[in-house]
Amino acid sequence: MNTENNNGKTIAIISYLTIIGTIIAIVQNSETKSPFASFHIRQALGLILTFLALGYPIGYFDSWMVSSAFYLFFFILWVFGFLGAIQGQMSLAPIVGPFFQKLFKGL
């Protein structure tokens, strides 16, 4: 694997580490524009923003079943994306992945 691909993989992995990691990855990728890193930045940013937008209202349900299902769903999506970045694969997150690719196509 050459240095450019390795750098894109590193940026992709960083993008899944909190919203700060995603912001750092966006800044790092603005210089090189690795397609692999851009793909994972879009996935990670979409997951994080959707989690934050839906997590607050879900907390008001006062039901451990609803809350735990929500957290489990997003944890599985995060693991799916994170493992894809580690393995060097560009796999869309189930259900929401294509939407995130279209929504954040400028990144």
Side-chain angles (χ1 to χ4, degrees):
M1 184 180 270
N2 63 24
T3 308
E4 183 178 314
N5 288 342
N6 201 14
N7 187 34
K9 187 174 179 179
T10 303
I11 293 171
I13 292 169
I14 290 171
S15 71
Y16 285 97
L17 305 177
T18 72
I19 189 73
I20 308 247
T22 305
I23 293 168
I24 291 169
I26 290 170
V27 170
Q28 285 182 330
N29 196 45
S30 65
E31 299 168 5
T32 59
K33 280 293 186 192
S34 164
F36 180 76
S38 295
F39 173 85
H40 282 285
I41 288 170
R42 289 189 291 267
Q43 294 290 293
L45 182 62
L47 285 174
I48 290 169
L49 292 179
T50 305
F51 177 79
L52 293 174
L54 295 178
Y56 190 73
I58 292 290
Y60 281 109
F61 276 100
D62 198 29
S63 168
W64 67 269
M65 288 185 0
V66 172
S67 297
S68 61
F70 173 78
Y71 286 116
L72 181 63
F73 175 72
F74 272 95
F75 180 71
I76 290 170
L77 290 178
W78 180 85
V79 167
F80 185 84
F82 187 68
L83 289 177
I86 289 173
Q87 295 171 351
Q89 299 174 349
M90 291 175 62
S91 303
L92 290 169
I95 302 169
V96 292
F99 176 70
F100 294 153
Q101 291 300 314
K102 289 178 190 171
L103 184 63
F104 302 116
K105 64 183 169 196
L107 293 178

